[in-house]
Amino acid sequence: MRIEMYGATDMGRVRKNNQDSLFYNAEMGLLIVADGIGGRKAGEVASALAVNGIKEAYLNCDSLRHEEVEPFLIKTIDQVNKDIITKGMSSTQMEGMATTLNAILFVGDKAYICHMGDSRTYLYQRGNLWQLTLDHNIENYVERGWLPDGSLALNPKPGALVRALGLSAQCEVDVYELKLQAGEILLTCSDGLTGMVQDRKLLRIIKEYEQRLYELPQRLVQEANEAGGQDNITVVISAVARS
Amino acid sequence: MERLYLIRVDMERFLGPFTLKEVKEAYLRMEFGMQDEIAGSLRPWITFDDLEAIKRHYPELVQLVQREMLSGWGVSVHGQVSHQTKVKAIPQTSPNLIARTLLLTILTALIVAIILLLREGQLQDLLLYFKDRNYFNARSLYAETYNARFESYMDRNREAINQAMRKKKGFQQWLPLVRSVAFERDGHWEGLPNKRLRGKGDEEMPADCSMGAWEQRWLASRDSWDRFVEGRELPRADWVQILTMDPHWMKLRSPVPGWIRPQSYHEACLRMALKSLQRLPQDSHGEAHKMLMARMGWQLGLLEGADQNEHFEMAGTLWALSCIEDGHDAEALPNCLGSANLRSDWRQWLEATIALRRLAILTENKRELSPEQLALFERGLAEAEDKTKVLWLSYSEELQFYREILQQNGQVYSALQTLQQRFPQLHWIP
């Protein structure tokens, strides 16, 4: 199965630096998007650590069989989490730094989607769009009964993250498995895109650019900026080529 | 173009996109179950067993869920009688007075019986018996405490229990009982992944707290035990998290909803960690091994409110932690640090523990604080707010309680009542 990948990252119109990090390589079948958490120090260091840590681990590992993929990803991400915490403790400038993570590893006809935080991965197929990942924020946790109802009263920000790399020594990453079909498109992005552009609009733009995907990431970044560009914006498109 | 749906199974993998017909076929192939979720394009994820939400968001799926899925689980959804029975009409002209009196008497007796059952709290049991006989039996066997007959009943009915747990309601109903059996033994329940046994809300704790997982953790960390006890190392690891866990913190939060025995996932992990360490041979790390076991025994003892007068063989940081947790004299708490040469992270940790314990002692068994006590308390709170950031457990509720005392000008009991209302799941007032 051949995968094509295209990506873009942009500072947005408000922030003074870009705390998002990204990596994508279609040959390797790996893409990573990490969004250094705003309001915390050294978010860009945390997101870069996440991206580099996963990339290096993958480059250093031998070939993976399907049953080995999930344990490999969990172990790698756990180690990256520890590295972020350790680095954060080494200097007051970086104390408490954290990052979201959305990474996809393509193995055979399957995609393994790793997710922590509120960066997202969507699936597009034949004019349909699904958000595959669940944002790990207080609002969703309360709605699903995973946190008590009073939690929202305690934390006035419903979008505050419950899970992210660097937040806790106990790192629990969601790993989803998706069997791929020709023509499917995965959109992985930071919340700088989804906070600015509604899902319905995303779908319309993807449909419009389905035949020229190489232009799509930049087009989505432009859309987020036109809507205000309140945050850093990162977009990676991975498409399963039609044979 | 036909609508497409995606199915999320066990929050781990996706099926589809499917047409409605393909969803049905996948269900018949048992590729997903009631607890799994479905979403249409740009539409929300809904679990199949949330029929109300299905009706609201996916009315086109109602028939599938009712006819195929719910009926497959033995739930009758057919409102119509399949055949008609001929009933002789009762002549209306001469009502049978005896029959009516008899009916009235029976109805009255029934109402009286229901009232009596309600008073005794037995009606719920009766309803439960008819709803889920297995669960009724298991709960009756459990009665007040865990016992061998209950355990063997759970074992015999494992398959039926697992099947019942595939439905959301059944899962919530059975989970406390399943957890009690799992953590009485080795921390596993066959047929239920460890993550689900743990549940959400305790994600800062290890997903797997089985004895096997603990054995691996203990074996891998052996070389660090001495340095940990001597205060030269405080690694961010599961075994350290367990050993430094504050039993007062656990006690305030126990029993956690969904847990009966153990009363929380924290306690479950602690029990499994201790049990696993007890089974490991004490070789070259004998002294540290004993101290780690003693520390966990101490934590469980304090949690259970047992008499802590027995001798616990501890030293170094473990002794210091237990000494602080056991302290009842705020002035004497710094003595618990002893003269050990602690690394800065350990020192900060112990100082934060002292700061919190001091506030607890100042407010223990008091209805209100005198102006002098309040001034001391205010200084203590400022110190605790600053220092507790290094601790891994969140003391947010405790700190809110202490802030409330300040706001209420030293009225401890009134602050307790306020916090009890704010956090009804916590046990502020014994």
Side-chain angles (χ1 to χ4, degrees):
Chain A
M1 210 157 240
R2 193 167 62 82
I3 308 290
E4 291 170 15
M5 288 185 196
Y6 309 97
T9 186
D10 189 271
M11 207 157 70
R13 290 190 166 172
V14 174
R15 299 287 166 96
K16 291 193 172 74
N17 61 346
N18 192 347
Q19 299 200 336
D20 287 0
S21 295
L22 91 153
F23 170 81
Y24 61 95
N25 185 317
E27 293 297 312
M28 285 167 67
L30 177 67
L31 74 84
I32 312 162
V33 169
D35 174 0
I37 290 177
R40 287 194 176 249
K41 298 166 190 167
E44 66 270 34
V45 179
S47 66
L49 276 173
V51 167
N52 292 331
I54 295 168
K55 185 177 73 180
E56 292 302 319
Y58 186 60
L59 285 171
N60 291 326
C61 89
D62 298 327
S63 62
L64 288 169
R65 282 176 297 170
H66 275 292
E67 64 272 22
E68 294 167 339
V69 176
E70 192 177 334
F72 162 78
L73 289 168
I74 290 173
K75 199 175 153 198
T76 303
I77 291 166
D78 189 51
Q79 186 57 50
V80 168
N81 184 54
K82 283 181 183 143
D83 293 345
I84 292 173
I85 290 172
T86 310
K87 184 104 180 170
M89 287 164 75
S90 69
S91 130
T92 50
Q93 293 298 310
M94 289 185 278
E95 194 183 338
M97 65 181 180
T99 180
T100 71
L101 173 75
N102 242 271
I104 308 183
L105 184 58
F106 294 88
V107 181
D109 62 350
K110 285 184 180 163
Y112 294 86
I113 304 159
C114 308
H115 165 64
M116 274 185 102
D118 60 359
S119 296
R120 294 179 180 174
T121 291
Y122 291 85
L123 169 71
Y124 172 88
Q125 198 209 58
R126 287 184 278 165
N128 296 275
L129 188 71
W130 290 269
Q131 183 185 330
L132 298 182
T133 51
L134 172 79
D135 293 348
H136 294 144
N137 58 31
I138 293 188
E139 190 177 24
N140 277 339
Y141 268 53
V142 170
E143 193 184 310
R144 289 176 165 247
W146 298 341
L147 277 178
D149 286 345
S151 309
L152 271 173
L154 284 180
N155 194 328
K157 286 184 182 171
L161 292 183
V162 180
R163 277 156 68 181
L165 285 173
L167 281 189
S168 158
Q170 198 61 47
C171 161
E172 192 173 340
V173 60
D174 287 344
V175 182
Y176 298 109
E177 185 184 304
L178 175 72
K179 198 161 189 293
L180 298 165
Q181 297 175 38
E184 282 181 339
I185 295 168
L186 291 166
L187 160 66
T188 304
C189 58
S190 61
D191 66 342
L193 175 69
T194 51
M196 292 288 114
V197 185
Q198 288 189 344
D199 288 357
R200 202 163 289 280
K201 193 141 200 189
L202 288 179
L203 174 60
R204 197 176 53 71
I205 296 172
I206 298 172
K207 254 187 199 172
E208 193 184 329
Y209 282 76
E210 206 176 339
Q211 301 308 320
R212 39 196 174 115
L213 288 174
Y214 49 89
E215 288 181 23
L216 182 55
Q218 206 53 54
R219 172 70 188 87
L220 290 170
V221 166
Q222 179 197 343
E223 188 69 28
N225 273 328
E226 282 170 6
Q230 295 287 322
D231 201 351
N232 307 142
I233 310 146
T234 298
V235 180
V236 181
I237 298 294
S238 42
V240 186
R242 293 177 201 276
S243 48
Chain B
M1 190 190 283
E2 230 179 324
R3 275 184 177 168
L4 292 177
Y5 302 88
L6 202 61
I7 296 167
R8 187 157 58 190
V9 183
D10 288 336
M11 285 294 281
E12 282 174 359
R13 63 200 159 84
F14 295 96
L15 295 175
F18 287 148
T19 60
L20 189 55
K21 186 168 168 269
E22 287 166 335
V23 171
K24 276 183 200 169
E25 287 165 358
Y27 177 73
L28 293 175
R29 290 194 302 271
M30 297 174 80
E31 290 181 15
F32 63 90
M34 291 293 290
Q35 77 284 6
D36 295 320
E37 298 162 287
I38 189 162
S41 173
L42 296 178
R43 291 158 83 192
W45 288 98
I46 304 287
T47 53
F48 284 100
D49 59 8
D50 188 350
L51 193 56
E52 285 310 307
I54 290 277
K55 278 179 187 166
R56 202 162 54 246
H57 296 284
Y58 301 103
E60 70 275 24
L61 288 172
V62 169
Q63 208 183 15
L64 164 75
V65 175
Q66 287 195 327
R67 288 273 163 85
E68 304 287 341
M69 301 177 84
L70 285 176
S71 61
W73 287 101
V75 179
S76 171
V77 290
H78 302 285
Q80 294 163 341
V81 181
S82 55
H83 61 279
Q84 290 188 345
T85 316
K86 284 186 179 172
V87 181
K88 244 185 184 176
I90 299 168
Q92 290 178 358
T93 46
S94 60
N96 189 329
L97 192 63
I98 298 170
R100 284 173 72 183
T101 313
L102 201 64
L103 188 69
L104 197 68
T105 314
I106 292 169
L107 272 176
T108 314
L110 205 62
I111 290 167
V112 171
I114 288 173
I115 291 171
L116 285 174
L117 284 170
L118 266 175
R119 271 198 192 160
E120 300 287 317
Q122 288 170 354
L123 188 63
Q124 293 284 353
D125 287 350
L126 199 65
L127 289 174
L128 190 64
Y129 179 77
F130 288 112
K131 238 174 158 181
D132 185 345
R133 202 168 296 183
N134 268 340
Y135 179 67
F136 174 83
N137 290 338
R139 229 189 61 172
S140 307
L141 282 170
Y142 188 93
E144 307 241 309
T145 185
Y146 194 92
N147 59 76
R149 281 187 65 208
F150 160 73
E151 189 176 319
S152 96
Y153 184 85
M154 293 288 284
D155 265 343
R156 283 199 312 274
N157 292 283
R158 183 179 296 268
E159 275 184 30
I161 293 168
N162 284 346
Q163 198 175 1
M165 287 181 82
R166 291 182 66 184
K167 283 167 80 177
K168 197 173 182 179
K169 209 170 175 187
F171 182 79
Q172 283 165 353
Q173 195 171 48
W174 278 102
L175 191 59
L177 297 177
V178 163
R179 281 168 165 165
S180 69
V181 177
F183 290 107
E184 174 67 20
R185 295 171 172 177
D186 62 354
H188 279 304
W189 174 265
E190 200 184 310
L192 190 69
N194 283 79
K195 261 192 200 176
R196 300 201 80 199
L197 197 59
R198 179 190 65 180
K200 298 280 175 185
D202 283 318
E203 282 159 347
E204 78 287 357
M205 294 294 287
D208 187 353
C209 264
S210 65
M211 283 179 64
W214 276 111
E215 187 180 330
Q216 285 179 15
R217 289 183 190 117
W218 291 129
L219 288 172
S221 62
R222 279 184 165 199
D223 292 339
S224 300
W225 293 352
D226 284 325
R227 290 197 298 280
F228 169 77
V229 173
E230 288 160 14
R232 290 187 285 131
E233 196 175 306
L234 183 62
R236 272 200 175 248
D238 296 331
W239 63 277
V240 176
Q241 188 179 11
I242 285 291
L243 288 164
T244 52
M245 220 153 55
D246 172 4
H248 295 295
W249 183 95
M250 291 161 72
K251 208 170 179 176
L252 177 66
R253 290 157 178 83
S254 300
V256 171
W259 292 86
I260 42 173
R261 180 182 181 272
Q263 296 193 336
S264 67
Y265 189 63
H266 289 77
E267 186 190 339
C269 288
L270 181 56
R271 288 191 183 280
M272 291 297 104
L274 175 58
K275 206 167 161 183
S276 156
L277 192 60
Q278 282 167 338
R279 293 194 183 178
L280 281 182
Q282 295 179 25
D283 45 26
S284 54
H285 302 277
E287 278 309 303
H289 193 142
K290 276 185 207 155
M291 277 192 258
L292 265 51
M293 287 194 297
R295 166 67 185 163
M296 288 187 278
W298 159 268
Q299 288 166 295
L300 283 172
L302 213 152
L303 191 60
E304 287 163 359
D307 184 5
Q308 295 289 68
N309 286 335
E310 81 174 87
H311 181 66
F312 286 91
E313 201 176 323
M314 284 187 271
T317 50
L318 293 182
W319 182 83
L321 267 178
S322 308
C323 169
I324 297 164
E325 286 158 5
D326 194 34
H328 291 283
D329 177 357
E331 296 300 313
L333 288 175
N335 299 341
C336 292
L337 293 181
S339 55
N341 190 16
L342 301 170
R343 215 174 73 163
S344 65
D345 49 3
W346 250 124
R347 183 164 287 281
Q348 283 171 5
W349 187 285
L350 292 172
E351 282 173 355
T353 314
I354 288 178
L356 279 169
R357 185 71 198 137
R358 188 175 285 141
L359 293 175
I361 293 170
L362 283 174
T363 53
E364 236 166 29
N365 305 320
K366 288 195 184 73
R367 280 193 83 83
E368 59 184 308
L369 300 178
S370 68
E372 297 77 31
Q373 286 171 330
L374 190 59
L376 190 66
F377 178 80
E378 190 169 5
R379 283 199 298 278
L381 178 54
E383 189 188 346
E385 301 235 40
D386 181 46
K387 289 188 167 173
T388 48
K389 286 171 193 156
V390 299
L391 300 177
W392 298 349
L393 289 172
S394 164
Y395 285 86
S396 142
E397 290 88 352
E398 281 89 344
L399 290 172
Q400 281 192 57
F401 166 51
Y402 297 139
R403 277 182 223 125
E404 188 67 31
I405 293 176
L406 268 192
Q407 274 203 343
Q408 298 200 18
N409 217 12
Q411 295 299 318
V412 178
Y413 191 70
S414 167
L416 260 183
Q417 287 175 315
T418 308
L419 266 286
Q420 187 64 75
Q421 278 178 355
R422 200 179 298 165
F423 301 106
Q425 74 278 19
L426 303 190
H427 306 280
W428 301 95
I429 301 172

